[in-house]
Amino acid sequence: MKKSLLALMLMGSFATFGIAATTLLDKATQEDIARHRAMATAHENAAKCLESGKSDEVCEKQLQVECKGLAIGKFCGMKHTH
């Protein structure tokens, strides 16, 4: 019984710490996190575009539209070899 209670208390404190850490992030960090998530979504959409059989040019244009204002460069902050 004591072990179960201790486990519940530890889980509660970890959950509280996790919530506190999230709220302690400054606005700039939160905005940076949001940009990274948006870029990741845009890249996932580009991968799905390519999987659907569309050309690289079409998918790159879609990526550029989705990433406008998010990252530096026309490849949404990421470029790789083909």
Side-chain angles (χ1 to χ4, degrees), residues 33-52:
I33 290 166
R35 276 191 300 273
H36 280 291
R37 287 194 171 125
M39 286 186 277
T41 299
H43 280 273
E44 181 63 27
N45 290 341
K48 289 177 182 177
C49 179
L50 290 169
E51 284 177 335
S52 74

Side-chain angles (χ1 to χ4, degrees), residues 26-38:
D26 64 7
K27 185 178 178 183
T29 302
Q30 291 175 355
E31 289 171 355
D32 194 36
I33 290 166
R35 276 191 300 273
H36 280 291
R37 287 194 171 125

Side-chain angles (χ1 to χ4, degrees), residues 47-78:
K48 289 177 182 177
C49 179
L50 290 169
E51 284 177 335
S52 74
K54 294 179 184 173
S55 72
D56 193 47
E57 292 80 22
V58 169
C59 297
E60 272 188 20
K61 285 183 183 180
Q62 175 184 321
L63 178 65
Q64 290 171 358
V65 168
E66 290 183 30
C67 282
K68 187 170 181 126
L70 287 176
I72 298 170
K74 67 179 191 172
F75 295 104
C76 196
M78 185 182 283

